[in-house]
Amino acid sequence: MEMHQPPLIATNRRHFLLMCFPVQGHINPTLQLAKTLAHGGAKVTFTTTGGGLQSIQQTLPSLKGLTFVSFYDAPDHESSDGFSSFMSDLRKSGSENLLKILDKFEEMGQKVDCLVYSFLLPWVATVARASNVPSAFLSIQCAAAFSIYHRFFNAHDGIYNVNGGIKDESSVSVKIPRLPLFSAADLPTFLLPDDPMSHLVIPLMQEHIQELEKDDEPCVFMNTFEELEEDAINMFKDYKMNVIAIGPLIPSAFTRGNDSTDKSYGGDMFHKIDDHYFQWLDNKDEHSVIYISFGSLVVLNKEQKEEILHGLRETKRPFLWVIRSTDSEQEYIKQSLENEVKNGDGLIVPWCSQMEVLAHKSIGCFVTHCGWNSTLESLVSGVPIIGCPHFSDQTTNAKMVEEVWGTGVRARVNGEVVIGRDEFKRCLEMVMGDGERGREIRYHCKKWRGLALEVVKEGGSTNNNLKSVVDI
Ligand code: UDP
């Protein structure tokens, strides 16, 4: 893949080893950072599990200075019951393999200068320290979410540490100066003890923070930008953390326009079948299409799909809906769609090139689970959001979208944690309609898109920060 963008000016050829967990939401920003560093003149080794690499190998970019290596060769976990043993095996074998990889590079005269690791892999910091290799944590969530983890687990006054765990989750809340209060419903769900994944994720997040605290001035790269999250980023100044905002980590064609041919992350774990949906989009009016996607992990239950379907039928607006082929109800929903939306104007696809879709002039709003990549992609594209968060940091992102950035609304769920058809319709009319709220939301979308494009330009905050990283 050839990319055209202003060079980041590497003073020498540093070697970065980037490690990420094998899920789409982690691979995309980590791979984008790998491409950016390689483009800036660094040598970059991208590593994830063998299973992860295999699933993305067909779309991987070929770029000077960028190579791919596996740090774990056993099969990835397949079910949630096996997740816990997979995670401990990943830690054990991953640590051993990482040491071997570091040694091998040293023998080859290509010593690793900086190890960059992402969420769920806190043990990488331990290996890095033992090997005397500088490391940086890559936060692929928003700065607000990372501040919340820090408020929970920091050794000085962490809510979790001080309380010896959270007992009453309904009363827990987090205040970050100048941001609205994050109550239980806005916190990353894995932090709440009732969450089914909390027993696995809480210790990992706690370990991440503890590992960072072992360094005098720990380095954290964040997939956000200073103008977007000034308040959350500033909070870290009191904690001697070197937080470097290097986002938005998205294919550069979407921030640099014709200056770049980099139109996709290059690590798709799912297959698109074909690109026919672009022709379909080309025939739609500007800002008329509702784009619906819940990312790579959320699976909607049948009731939720039916409610969305009814809501769509009633709004009579065209829509493009991603229902992954791994979803066992994909065929059922297609059938229902044909029955219910007679003469309707909708398309269901198993996967799409999301960033290209969001950048298409026909898209009028994005119904999303608010994964951080999707949220950031929407911000860069200037597309209003209807947030339907399910788990993890999605709740925090939806809060930021609605109350801080003003680029969308968060749908209200009923008792069954389902967004009803009337609520769905209400949100659609609010963000796409001509009312004052819709106009305000579209104004904010335009504003943030403008800022996102500025920060990557020569002299922009992210561009400057990336230069400092290439030279780190
Ligand atoms: N994505 C895509 N095509 C799709 C759906 C999603 O390329 O049809 C990409 C999307 O652009 C984003 C990633 O998959 O970069 C999903 O990451 P996110 O953080 O939004 O959610 P997660 O999948 O981690 O829940």
Side-chain angles (χ1 to χ4, degrees):
M1 178 183 299
E2 203 195 337
M3 287 199 287
H4 302 284
Q5 59 188 51
L8 297 166
I9 316 166
T11 47
N12 53 13
R13 200 166 155 75
R14 302 229 151 212
H15 186 182
F16 290 85
L17 181 69
L18 270 56
M19 298 189 72
C20 80
F21 193 75
V23 286
Q24 192 72 68
H26 296 211
I27 286 176
N28 284 2
T30 312
L31 189 51
Q32 194 59 34
L33 176 61
K35 284 154 53 183
T36 307
L37 293 173
H39 184 79
K43 172 174 171 51
V44 184
T45 305
F46 175 94
T47 165
T48 183
T49 62
L53 274 183
Q54 201 180 358
S55 67
I56 60 178
Q57 68 185 2
Q58 280 181 350
T59 49
L60 282 179
S62 110
L63 191 63
K64 189 168 169 272
L66 174 60
T67 47
F68 299 91
V69 172
S70 149
F71 69 80
Y72 178 80
D73 289 322
D76 291 352
H77 75 99
E78 307 238 293
S79 64
S80 56
D81 4 319
F83 189 69
S84 173
S85 58
F86 166 66
M87 290 305 278
S88 52
D89 195 38
L90 190 70
R91 173 189 293 264
K92 188 174 172 299
S93 310
S95 303
E96 289 163 10
N97 289 339
L98 176 57
L99 279 172
K100 287 184 199 155
I101 293 171
L102 292 174
D103 284 348
K104 198 159 169 223
F105 276 126
E106 188 152 9
E107 274 167 32
M108 288 158 62
Q110 298 175 2
K111 191 174 179 304
V112 171
D113 297 298
C114 182
L115 239 169
V116 182
Y117 62 99
S118 189
F119 275 94
L120 306 181
L121 307 173
W123 45 266
V124 175
T126 323
V127 176
R129 195 169 304 108
S131 312
N132 277 322
V133 177
S135 68
F137 174 60
L138 170 62
S139 172
I140 50 167
Q141 298 186 358
C142 70
F146 188 72
S147 324
I148 293 171
Y149 298 128
H150 190 266
R151 286 292 298 117
F152 260 65
F153 300 122
N154 83 78
H156 172 62
D157 58 358
I159 301 169
Y160 195 85
N161 290 335
V162 171
N163 292 350
I166 300 292
K167 282 160 197 100
D168 176 11
E169 70 174 56
S170 61
S171 67
V172 64
S173 61
V174 169
K175 184 76 190 105
I176 298 165
R178 288 175 297 282
L179 286 180
L181 184 74
F182 290 87
S183 59
D186 312 315
L187 299 176
T189 56
F190 299 151
L191 293 179
L192 304 173
D194 273 2
D195 186 278
M197 292 293 279
S198 66
H199 67 290
L200 285 169
V201 181
I202 285 182
L204 285 168
M205 290 315 304
Q206 188 167 25
E207 192 182 342
H208 267 302
I209 301 296
Q210 286 169 348
E211 282 297 337
L212 290 168
E213 285 178 334
K214 286 180 191 160
D215 288 342
D216 286 343
E217 204 185 337
C219 187
V220 181
F221 301 154
M222 278 199 196
N223 185 16
T224 187
F225 53 96
E226 289 174 3
E227 288 74 353
L228 186 68
E229 293 209 77
E230 200 183 358
D231 297 325
I233 293 171
N234 281 343
M235 192 200 92
F236 291 100
K237 287 191 179 139
D238 294 341
Y239 292 91
K240 278 198 182 164
M241 239 189 227
N242 184 17
V243 169
I244 308 179
I246 53 170
L249 289 170
I250 61 157
S252 52
F254 301 100
T255 47
R256 299 177 195 280
N258 294 336
D259 283 350
S260 170
T261 52
D262 175 36
K263 283 194 175 165
S264 71
Y265 291 97
D268 275 335
M269 301 181 99
F270 300 86
H271 297 294
K272 284 188 284 194
I273 303 183
D274 60 42
D275 285 346
H276 68 290
Y277 52 89
F278 280 119
Q279 282 164 342
W280 184 86
L281 288 174
D282 287 344
N283 290 321
K284 298 288 168 267
D285 291 340
E286 230 171 85
H287 307 308
S288 67
V289 176
I290 303 162
Y291 171 59
I292 309 165
S293 169
F294 289 81
S296 63
L297 300 169
V298 168
V299 179
L300 298 183
N301 64 26
K302 200 165 166 182
E303 187 189 350
Q304 180 64 88
K305 285 181 198 138
E306 277 169 350
E307 290 302 309
I308 292 180
L309 211 54
H310 280 285
L312 287 170
R313 183 176 58 177
E314 287 170 28
T315 64
K316 299 189 174 64
R317 294 179 190 270
F319 63 90
L320 173 65
W321 188 354
V322 178
I323 302 182
R324 298 187 306 276
S325 49
T326 44
D327 184 333
S328 58
E329 282 158 9
Q330 197 208 25
E331 278 314 310
Y332 149 79
I333 203 81
K334 270 189 166 167
Q335 196 66 51
S336 310
L337 187 72
E338 275 160 28
N339 295 341
E340 299 239 8
V341 197
K342 294 218 177 66
N343 309 320
D345 197 5
L347 200 59
I348 293 186
V349 292
W351 192 251
C352 71
S353 181
Q354 177 163 300
M355 201 47 230
E356 282 187 89
V357 165
L358 286 170
H360 196 281
K361 60 180 182 5
S362 66
I363 300 298
C365 88
F366 183 13
V367 178
T368 169
H369 66 311
C370 291
W372 180 236
N373 296 294
S374 295
T375 306
L376 207 48
E377 290 161 10
S378 203
L379 268 162
V380 171
S381 312
V383 172
I385 277 179
I386 295 176
C388 311
H390 281 241
F391 50 72
S392 188
D393 57 324
Q394 297 158 19
T395 39
T396 311
N397 302 335
K399 165 102 172 171
M400 296 294 285
V401 162
E402 185 172 66
E403 294 184 29
V404 179
W405 303 317
T407 55
V409 294
R410 177 175 179 171
R412 290 192 295 249
V413 290
N414 66 22
E416 301 303 312
V417 199
V418 161
I419 295 152
R421 64 193 72 177
D422 293 336
E423 171 64 1
F424 187 64
K425 226 176 77 188
R426 184 187 74 87
C427 292
L428 283 176
E429 293 317 319
M430 192 155 34
V431 302
M432 293 184 85
D434 291 329
E436 198 183 331
R437 186 76 192 274
R439 284 200 301 273
E440 260 173 37
I441 288 174
R442 290 190 291 274
Y443 164 80
H444 288 298
C445 288
K446 214 170 159 186
K447 178 183 102 182
W448 288 116
R449 172 174 156 75
L451 284 165
L453 302 189
E454 285 302 314
V455 298
V456 297
K457 285 186 185 155
E458 194 62 43
S461 60
T462 286
N463 191 280
N464 287 342
N465 290 345
L466 276 167
K467 279 181 188 167
S468 74
V469 167
V470 172
D471 283 341
I472 216 157

